[in-house]
Amino acid sequence: MNGKSVSEPGAPLERDRHAVMRVWLRKLPERTLMVFIAHRVEGKAYAEIAAELGIGEWRVRWHMRKAIRHILKIGKPYRDAFAALDPVSQQIMELAWDGLPGDRIALRLGLTSHEVETRMAAALVALHKATTL
């Protein structure tokens, strides 16, 4: 990799993961997105969100269920593509997403850095194709 840990902002895998999430979330209706961000990102309670938006708590729950159903539905091709990866590529991607740099992944799995990078690139291409179709 480029020497950055994947957990650093701007690291390639972290940018890719955030880009995918932004695309998924942009497809939500505006109010549902506002509720989802307020609860999951900002950590606000349903009652607080309801008061801020002038809606009932039941409506906040409804928006959260809608957001989660949407994320599960659009995440299915991604999960299927991940499951289709060979076990070593799955391990590489999981370790990378946990913030382990490529050279440390190579050491942990007994692979060369080149093999880790090659498998990671192929996995990212497969995951990207699955999420853009």
Side-chain angles (χ1 to χ4, degrees):
M1 292 188 51
N2 61 5
K4 286 186 174 183
S5 165
V6 293
S7 60
E8 290 180 57
L13 286 176
E14 195 64 18
R15 279 195 315 263
D16 290 344
R17 195 163 54 179
H18 288 308
V20 168
M21 284 305 296
R22 278 193 301 277
V23 168
W24 288 359
L25 292 175
R26 267 191 234 127
K27 294 179 182 180
L28 288 171
E30 184 177 351
R31 177 66 56 103
T32 302
L33 178 59
M34 289 170 60
V35 168
F36 181 81
I37 289 173
H39 183 64
R40 290 290 173 99
V41 177
E42 298 170 5
K44 294 180 180 178
Y46 286 178
E48 184 180 4
I49 298 166
E52 286 178 3
L53 297 178
I55 60 177
E57 274 188 65
W58 69 271
R59 190 51 118 175
V60 172
R61 283 186 184 79
W62 182 86
H63 281 291
M64 282 302 297
R65 281 193 302 272
K66 184 176 182 175
I68 291 167
R69 278 193 312 269
H70 172 76
I71 291 167
L72 289 172
K73 179 180 140 194
I74 61 177
K76 184 176 180 348
Y78 179 86
R79 288 188 307 275
D80 291 347
F82 185 81
L85 296 174
D86 65 274
V88 174
S89 294
Q90 287 179 356
Q91 279 186 296
I92 289 169
M93 296 307 292
E94 287 171 349
L95 291 170
W97 287 328
D98 286 343
L100 207 60
D103 57 341
R104 305 290 302 264
I105 294 170
L107 283 173
R108 181 175 288 186
L109 299 180
L111 302 169
T112 66
S113 291
H114 177 71
E115 185 174 3
V116 168
E117 294 297 324
T118 301
R119 285 175 173 269
M120 197 179 299
L124 285 171
V125 168
L127 296 173
H128 177 71
K129 284 181 182 177
T131 59
T132 55
L133 295 177

